[in-house]
Amino acid sequence: MARNERHHTYSRASMRMIGFCIAIVVIVSDTPLYHSLPFIVLHGLGSECDNDGMTMLTEVLSYHTGEKGFCIEVGNGMKDSWYKSTTKQADSVCQTVKSLSALKSGYNIVSLSQGSLLARALIQWCDDAPPVNKMISLGGPLAGTASVPYCGMFFLKDDFQRSAFSFNEGLRSQILCLLADLIMELGIYTSFVQNHLAPAGYIKIPTDLEAYYKGSEFLPKLNNELEDSRNATYIERFTSLSQLVLIMFESDNVLIPRETAWFGYYSSGSLSNVLTYNETDLYKEDWIGLRTLDEAGKVTFLSLPRGHLQINETEMRTHIVPYLVDSSAAL
């Protein structure tokens, strides 16, 4: 073969190879340069996975992330969300998550209200579970609440203050609150109430902290508040999160105070002075690793202008979806 012919043959082969490489680049460029992890949704008090709102939330997030979402039931639905202890609900969620093979390589959590406490229990307490990457909390009573959610300020004796937090609309909610009120008469920190009324596990009365530390069976443990039994494993597991997103609703009158959604809470002995999250002992002494996460730039504080859990699809896309998509994982 002549030199020129060999040159032309090489050139044609080179051009075919270049064309092949261009095709590969086009194919790759049409593929998103990220992947998402599957996620779970943990509903709140008085809800269940069959609820239309929970179904819509899970479907919207699945659609916009391209990943499978799983709504995790806390037991037998709405009734158990009220009357199954938060500790037992957390155990149920733990077992369900460990049984889902789709989550074995890791997953994210979207939690609503009471579900945010179950999310933290899942992260801190659930042994041999898949790793949690990110937690997004919507209106979670993370530092506790001074009231049974939806049922009024049972611990404020002033009639005007109580009237400001009336029963949630709907006969079913009223009946549930009436039953809760009857149970409460036995004493919020008694063993029976702790085991038969879910909110009892995270009600924290700042004017009765001695009884809270002695009788509450869920939140003091979760928040590592008891000096004699603090668990370093809870800190290790919580600080393993790559991102913690905390959403507070500015007109929230279900969580008392609303700042609990950001780990803020009343100062000891007061029902009026609210400490910001970084003024609390939980943060300053880093009982669960919140300060460590915050100083590492892994905590995002967001607020929405309406009432408890009132979020629309546009806000979901803006404030939740971006955190469920891992754009750092290039293909």
Side-chain angles (χ1 to χ4, degrees):
M1 182 181 291
R3 180 179 178 183
N4 285 343
E5 290 176 344
R6 288 197 303 271
H7 175 73
H8 291 155
T9 301
Y10 178 80
S11 297
R12 287 193 294 271
S14 299
M15 290 304 294
R16 285 196 297 270
M17 181 59 70
I18 291 171
F20 176 75
C21 291
I22 291 173
I24 290 294
V25 169
V26 170
I27 291 171
V28 170
S29 66
D30 285 341
T31 303
L33 297 179
Y34 58 80
H35 75 268
S36 302
L37 289 171
F39 64 91
I40 67 169
V41 176
L42 295 174
H43 66 74
L45 179 68
S47 187
E48 55 193 349
C49 287
D50 286 342
N51 179 288
D52 288 344
M54 295 305 303
T55 300
M56 185 200 76
L57 172 67
T58 307
E59 291 179 349
V60 165
L61 297 181
S62 291
Y63 176 79
H64 289 295
T65 62
E67 276 294 337
K68 178 69 174 177
F70 302 86
C71 182
I72 306 297
E73 194 54 81
V74 300
N76 294 320
M78 179 185 287
K79 182 179 178 182
D80 276 358
S81 80
W82 271 94
Y83 299 119
K84 188 173 186 175
S85 76
T86 37
T87 300
K88 291 180 179 178
Q89 289 186 37
D91 290 342
S92 174
V93 169
C94 172
Q95 295 307 313
T96 300
V97 164
K98 289 197 290 186
S99 72
L100 293 174
S101 59
L103 306 180
K104 64 181 180 180
S105 296
Y107 65 101
N108 298 315
I109 302 176
V110 178
S111 55
L112 289 76
S113 197
Q114 180 174 279
S116 294
L117 294 173
L118 302 181
R120 286 185 46 220
L122 183 58
I123 295 166
Q124 296 171 210
W125 297 350
C126 190
D127 295 329
D128 301 318
V132 179
N133 183 37
K134 298 177 183 178
M135 173 182 165
I136 303 166
S137 168
L138 288 79
L142 300 172
T145 182
S147 164
V148 176
Y150 302 109
C151 295
M153 292 289 283
F154 289 101
F155 306 104
L156 297 183
K157 302 304 182 182
D158 185 281
D159 290 338
F160 175 78
Q161 288 178 300
R162 284 180 60 103
S163 68
F165 303 98
S166 60
F167 282 166
N168 193 34
E169 293 182 358
L171 179 60
R172 190 174 186 186
S173 293
Q174 292 184 27
I175 292 173
L176 290 170
C177 283
L178 287 171
L179 291 173
D181 202 8
L182 290 172
I183 294 174
M184 294 278 288
E185 294 296 326
L186 299 174
I188 188 64
Y189 298 126
T190 62
S191 179
F192 179 85
V193 176
Q194 288 289 309
N195 282 287
H196 291 86
L197 182 66
Y202 52 92
I203 288 176
K204 183 178 183 179
I205 310 306
T207 54
D208 197 11
L209 290 179
E210 183 177 352
Y212 163 74
Y213 292 131
K214 182 178 180 180
S216 182
E217 297 182 5
F218 181 77
L219 190 63
K221 176 183 176 183
L222 185 69
N223 281 350
N224 242 355
E225 294 180 81
L226 305 177
E227 186 175 0
D228 294 338
S229 57
R230 290 205 177 119
N231 192 322
T233 300
Y234 299 168
I235 302 173
E236 179 183 350
R237 291 177 177 177
F238 194 58
T239 55
S240 70
L241 290 172
S242 69
Q243 191 74 36
L244 174 65
V245 181
L246 305 176
I247 299 177
M248 177 178 70
F249 295 87
E250 296 171 7
S251 298
D252 197 331
N253 63 2
V254 172
L255 301 184
I256 311 298
R258 64 178 178 273
E259 290 84 358
T260 186
W262 283 2
F263 281 98
Y265 207 65
Y266 294 113
S267 58
S268 176
S270 173
L271 276 166
S272 59
N273 182 46
V274 178
L275 302 175
T276 60
Y277 71 94
N278 55 2
E279 294 175 324
T280 65
D281 289 338
L282 179 143
Y283 182 91
K284 291 187 294 185
E285 298 181 14
D286 214 19
W287 291 343
I288 61 170
L290 178 63
R291 180 166 60 87
T292 297
L293 280 173
D294 189 32
E295 291 176 348
K298 295 181 179 181
V299 183
T300 300
F301 299 90
L302 302 173
S303 64
L304 294 177
R306 290 177 297 281
H308 190 64
L309 301 183
Q310 293 181 9
I311 183 170
N312 59 40
E313 184 172 347
T314 299
E315 290 164 336
M316 292 180 199
R317 293 178 63 181
T318 302
H319 300 300
I320 300 178
V321 170
Y323 295 102
L324 295 178
V325 175
D326 185 1
S327 58
S328 66
L331 296 176

